[in-house]
Amino acid sequence: MKKIGHMLALGVIALVVLAGTTSYALLTDTLDVNIPFQFYAGDTHLPAGEYSIRVADPNSGQYVLDLSNANDSVDVLLMTNAAQIDIPTTQPALDFKKIGGQYFLTHIWVEGSKAGYAVTEPYLQKQLEKQGQRGEMHRVKARHLLH
């Protein structure tokens, strides 16, 4: 009986380790995107405009992304988690959820992959959803920044 308990514990540990190594798309270069509306990236409200997205520090992991606008007057660090989509994207894209007239950045998808980044939900989005407001999804295509 003791042996079964140890085997079960090892199985649970293995599942936790494997869950943590889910295939994760790595953003290897900078994405450029023109966002045509005001939006929230995390808890930061941002104006419409041209933005760049890159990994904040390639040496510290791939989960923190840096979002900055064209003239570098806006620079936001985005906390993300691994995300999966059913069909690989043919080009990079950003998904937004529109709730009550507000747009919230929800996902960043990497070209040619089912994996991407899920942006941590901001407080306002959680509050609007808690009030029962429904959202609709909007996708904005991105492109690789040419150097």
Side-chain angles (χ1 to χ4, degrees), residues 9-73:
L10 287 173
V12 169
I13 290 170
L15 284 175
V16 169
V17 169
L18 289 174
T21 60
T22 300
S23 173
Y24 194 66
L26 302 179
L27 185 56
T28 57
D29 57 1
T30 301
L31 297 181
D32 193 30
V33 60
N34 184 21
I35 301 172
F37 41 76
Q38 296 179 27
F39 66 102
Y40 282 89
D43 286 314
T44 306
H45 189 249
L46 299 170
E50 196 73 27
Y51 288 87
S52 294
I53 302 168
R54 67 188 142 283
V55 173
D57 182 0
N59 297 321
S60 67
Q62 299 289 320
Y63 294 98
V64 180
L65 300 180
D66 180 42
L67 174 73
S68 59
N69 68 351
N71 61 10
D72 288 327
S73 63

Side-chain angles (χ1 to χ4, degrees), residues 41-120:
D43 286 314
T44 306
H45 189 249
L46 299 170
E50 196 73 27
Y51 288 87
S52 294
I53 302 168
R54 67 188 142 283
V55 173
D57 182 0
N59 297 321
S60 67
Q62 299 289 320
Y63 294 98
V64 180
L65 300 180
D66 180 42
L67 174 73
S68 59
N69 68 351
N71 61 10
D72 288 327
S73 63
V74 171
D75 195 8
V76 176
L77 292 179
L78 298 174
M79 300 306 295
T80 68
N81 294 302
Q84 293 286 326
I85 195 168
D86 292 334
I87 300 170
T89 58
T90 57
Q91 75 177 80
L94 280 65
D95 283 349
F96 294 86
K97 192 171 193 179
K98 183 180 179 186
I99 306 171
Q102 303 290 331
Y103 288 88
F104 300 93
L105 177 59
T106 60
H107 294 91
I108 299 166
W109 300 110
V110 179
E111 177 179 6
S113 177
K114 289 184 177 185
Y117 299 87
V119 178
T120 303

